[in-house]
Amino acid sequence: SFPMSPIIFNLGPIEIRLYGILFALALAQGIFLFQKFARQAGLKQKFIDSYLFWLALSLIIGARLGEVLFYEPRYYFTHPMEIIAVWHGGLASFGALIAAIITTWIFARKLKTTTPYTLRPTPFLFLADLASIPVALGAAMVRIANFFNAEIVGIPTALPWGVLFQGYELPRH
């Protein structure tokens, strides 16, 4: 077994965590790939930039609100300043998904009124299709970050590939 820490290094009082780096890389690759796919599909750069800005913002806000509203609402409503303290942890992927669906629906309505559609699915399905590969890759990166953050741990094991997570006495699958 080998010990694992979610902290890569410290810059004075600031901890650089693998989760934050992988979350940022997930957003960056998503933006890069979506732009490429959207340009190939003929979308205008102004629309792409606007959609990606609001999508990235909604992902972060939605992920945080998912954590706040579904996991510990009493705590956050009695400590409202903690709602914005993302550095204390707490993002929920389903909150990000809900926010992404809402944002995509809003932009699909905008796209429907500004772009002629022939031989294409509905604007919502069209945008969702363009985002499917970036979203899948980003979700995989965030799941790997969850593993390193000791949020996804298996059962105890004595096998040599067991991982010793902080907060757990025995190595785990």
Side-chain angles (χ1 to χ4, degrees):
S1 69
F2 56 92
M4 186 179 319
S5 172
I7 301 167
I8 298 177
F9 59 89
N10 293 311
L11 289 173
I14 300 171
E15 294 177 337
I16 304 301
R17 294 178 168 261
L18 185 60
Y19 188 95
I21 290 172
L22 286 175
F23 191 91
L25 286 174
L27 278 174
Q29 70 77 29
I31 289 168
F32 173 78
L33 286 177
F34 184 88
Q35 281 189 355
K36 180 180 178 182
F37 299 153
R39 280 194 296 266
Q40 288 173 345
L43 292 180
K44 294 179 181 172
Q45 191 64 46
K46 183 177 178 181
F47 177 86
I48 296 168
D49 292 343
S50 180
Y51 174 65
L52 288 174
F53 171 79
W54 289 107
L55 182 64
L57 187 62
S58 74
L59 286 170
I60 295 166
I61 293 170
R64 184 59 177 170
L65 287 178
E67 172 73 18
V68 167
L69 297 174
F70 292 105
Y71 287 115
E72 298 186 66
R74 283 190 182 133
Y75 171 78
Y76 287 110
F77 291 136
T78 58
H79 302 88
M81 291 307 293
E82 287 294 310
I83 292 173
I84 60 172
V86 294
W87 53 91
H88 290 164
L91 299 173
S93 56
F94 59 84
L97 177 62
I98 291 167
I101 289 169
I102 292 168
T103 302
T104 300
W105 178 77
I106 291 167
F107 273 82
R109 290 176 54 106
K110 181 178 178 181
L111 184 61
K112 186 176 184 177
T113 62
T114 61
T115 305
Y117 271 86
T118 56
L119 303 175
R120 289 187 179 170
T122 66
F124 178 82
L125 293 177
F126 174 68
L127 287 175
D129 186 49
L130 292 177
S132 63
I133 292 173
V135 166
L137 291 173
M141 294 172 80
V142 170
R143 286 293 166 247
I144 291 168
N146 290 140
F147 173 76
F148 281 97
N149 232 19
E151 296 167 349
I152 299 175
V153 299
I155 60 173
T157 184
L159 296 170
W161 54 76
V163 178
L164 189 57
F165 291 100
Q166 288 180 349
Y168 294 89
E169 289 183 27
L170 299 173
R172 306 181 76 83
H173 278 289

